[in-house]
Amino acid sequence: MIRLDALEILDSRGQPTLAVAAQLEDGTKAWARVPSGASTGSKEALELRDGDPKRFLGKGVEKAVAHVLGPLQDAVAHLSPERQEEVDRALLAADGTPSKSKLGANAILGVSMAVAAAAAKSRGLPLYRYWKQEGPYRLPVPLLNVINGGRHADNNLDLQEFMLVPHGFPTFHRALRAAAEIYQHLKHLLRERNLSTGVGDEGGFAPDLRSDEEALELLVEAIERAGYRPGEEVSLAIDAAASELGQKGRYRVQGEAMEAPSLVALYEKWSRLYPVVSLEDGLGEDDPQGWQALNRALGNRWQLVGDDLFVTSRELILWGQREKLANTVLIKPNQVGTLTETFAALEACRNGGWRAILSHRSGETEDTIIADLAVASGAGQIKTGAPARGERVAKYNRLLLIEKELGEDGMYAGPEFFPR
Ligand code: PGA
Ligand code: ZN
């Protein structure tokens, strides 16, 4: 027996989102909260908004709440909460559309996650153990977005995210400490140059800079000031979110219009100048030829990560593997809408010899399920914003706790994933 509850709450941007609870026969009740993106891929499952301009400027989610309490409740009422696949299949059947547009992927994911959370709680297990019955466990390398641009800030940076990758440490907590120290040094550096230290949606600083390259230079300087070795202990990652930079293979970067080959050449130049190890959405979701060229040029040196390109869809990941478009996938449960489909995407990565990075959204809540998912899946990497702002820090703090709980059974993935 599963009894659902749902409620409209706020996300980190102050926009409404859903909290969903599942209560089981033994009285156990657990809540899950649904995140929301801003630079979304066009093939993502549909996030249902009310469209009533009188409430939250049209962004209310009362319809999604009603769908949880009505049709989704009916679909799962009689099911066993431990049978996630059956639960998720029933949710999909209740909706019946390929993009989850009838009941809303936000409503469906909320139920999928709440059921898992309740099932784990009822067994007395933390989620990471519920999903993965035995060790060894891998603590993920965090990709910390410390300079924000693009759709996540109102500054002049075209590229959306400039991240720290503290891989060269023996433990997760040591790696996180390095990133937190570098973040403070970065703040001082910006102040010294009279640049803004206000932050963007994911907690990274959002200064106006002379160019996107200057962001990479600042990060290298901040790493050194904090006393760490760029490239050996702490490297860099970029999310260009290039679907937002143009269309059909034409992009605008640093004030210049360019086609895919020039943008690939720019990335190649950066690969010689800066200790970058990972590039996400370097090209647009509608530019597979560009991705192939990028993969030929940099695929053996960089992680090339598809976010908008694959939208956590198993089918699109398999297509990407056949067409040799990339080598890594960003995994966001709300892009696809159920945990079972999220697991299928992770499995497709594993089977194809690709990497996977668990990810937050730019609109987040205090929910920490992706931290548990990162550990249980053994993906080895998580991207969940700056080491600042409660909704970002909640995930990192959850990982600190998991690391402590695991003790000897937990191993930091850094040196394994980015050996130097
Ligand atoms: P989003 O951004 O959550 O706004 O889509 C995150 C990302 O592009 O990785
Ligand atoms: Zn992205």
Side-chain angles (χ1 to χ4, degrees):
M1 195 255 345
I2 301 171
R3 188 178 308 141
L4 300 176
D5 198 353
L7 170 78
E8 192 178 53
I9 61 168
L10 295 181
D11 75 11
S12 55
R13 278 192 278 252
Q15 305 284 13
T17 188
L18 280 165
V20 177
Q23 184 166 13
L24 311 184
E25 221 148 52
D26 64 4
T28 310
K29 185 171 182 177
W31 287 90
R33 289 151 293 258
V34 181
S36 171
S39 67
T40 48
S42 65
K43 297 193 182 113
E44 292 192 20
L46 182 109
E47 178 181 81
L48 188 68
R49 300 275 178 191
D50 297 339
D52 170 3
K54 289 202 273 314
R55 298 188 71 255
F56 291 110
L57 295 83
K59 295 215 170 204
V61 292
E62 282 191 325
K63 282 184 194 160
V65 167
H67 291 162
V68 171
L69 301 176
L72 296 176
Q73 167 67 79
D74 293 344
V76 301
H78 57 288
L79 297 178
S80 157
E82 298 209 353
R83 304 216 171 145
Q84 187 77 43
E85 275 182 41
E86 268 176 42
V87 168
D88 289 342
R89 215 178 302 129
L91 298 174
L92 297 188
D95 178 83
T97 70
S99 61
K100 304 181 176 68
S101 55
K102 185 170 164 215
L103 301 179
N106 41 355
I108 292 170
L109 180 68
V111 177
S112 185
M113 294 194 308
V115 168
K121 193 171 172 188
S122 149
R123 278 225 230 152
L125 293 173
L127 270 169
Y128 72 90
R129 274 193 204 274
Y130 172 70
W131 281 319
K132 183 175 192 297
Q133 306 294 334
E134 56 202 54
Y137 289 86
R138 226 185 235 152
L139 273 304
V141 182
L143 280 67
L144 302 106
N145 181 9
V146 293
I147 296 185
N148 293 186
R151 294 271 293 244
H152 293 168
D154 290 327
N155 58 350
N156 68 353
L157 293 175
D158 297 312
L159 307 193
Q160 181 177 284
E161 305 175 16
F162 297 87
M163 293 170 270
L164 298 171
V165 188
H167 50 83
F169 297 91
T171 60
F172 175 80
H173 64 270
R174 186 64 189 86
L176 188 65
R177 183 189 126 194
E181 291 171 358
I182 296 164
Y183 182 77
Q184 299 303 335
H185 280 280
L186 178 59
K187 186 172 190 172
H188 292 139
L189 258 177
L190 294 171
R191 259 197 209 126
E192 283 168 22
R193 297 178 193 194
N194 287 320
L195 294 166
S196 163
T197 56
V199 299
D201 284 354
E202 298 188 349
F205 301 112
D208 281 325
L209 299 179
R210 285 191 303 275
S211 65
D212 288 83
E213 276 176 66
E214 195 185 354
L216 298 170
E217 278 159 24
L218 278 167
L219 291 190
V220 171
E221 201 176 330
I223 293 169
E224 284 170 344
R225 275 220 196 167
Y228 296 105
R229 296 191 298 277
E232 281 173 56
E233 290 173 310
V234 185
S235 295
L236 305 181
I238 299 167
D239 180 2
S243 301
E244 308 286 334
L245 299 176
Q247 274 178 335
K248 300 208 164 61
R250 298 191 59 81
Y251 305 92
R252 248 201 117 67
V253 184
Q254 307 194 138
E256 235 182 280
M258 54 176 96
E259 301 199 354
S262 314
L263 191 48
V264 171
L266 180 66
Y267 295 141
E268 278 191 286
K269 185 181 123 195
W270 289 355
S271 79
R272 291 189 294 273
L273 297 176
Y274 307 105
V276 174
V277 290
S278 182
L279 170 66
E280 179 183 328
D281 282 357
L283 295 161
E285 61 173 39
D286 60 355
D287 187 10
Q289 280 85 14
W291 276 93
Q292 282 174 334
L294 176 64
N295 198 26
R296 281 194 299 271
L298 281 165
N300 56 357
R301 273 184 289 157
W302 277 7
Q303 241 183 201
L304 299 174
V305 188
D307 170 12
D308 290 353
L309 185 66
F310 300 130
V311 294
T312 314
S313 148
R314 177 179 173 275
E315 281 65 39
L316 290 176
I317 294 165
L318 295 178
W319 162 72
Q321 289 172 343
R322 281 195 305 275
E323 300 290 323
K324 299 191 170 39
L325 300 185
N327 56 36
T328 305
V329 179
L330 201 73
I331 301 285
K332 294 167 164 169
N334 85 323
Q335 280 181 326
V336 65
T338 62
L339 285 176
T340 300
E341 290 162 288
T342 306
F343 293 137
L346 282 160
E347 193 187 1
C349 294
R350 246 190 328 272
N351 291 343
W354 281 24
R355 293 176 172 193
I357 306 171
L358 265 295
S359 172
H360 67 163
R361 299 306 305 243
S362 52
E364 264 295 333
T365 71
E366 63 276 30
D367 200 283
T368 56
I369 198 166
I370 59 162
D372 284 68
L373 209 43
V375 174
S377 66
Q381 296 181 65
I382 190 168
K383 168 176 121 151
T384 185
R389 292 186 60 143
E391 76 282 3
R392 313 296 148 187
V393 164
K395 281 71 161 171
Y396 296 127
N397 286 346
R398 171 75 188 140
L399 287 166
L400 288 172
L401 210 99
I402 294 175
E403 182 182 47
K404 187 165 164 59
E405 246 171 46
L406 285 172
E408 298 275 281
D409 293 337
M411 195 190 69
Y412 182 50
E416 174 192 353
F417 274 71
F418 299 102
R420 278 291 176 280

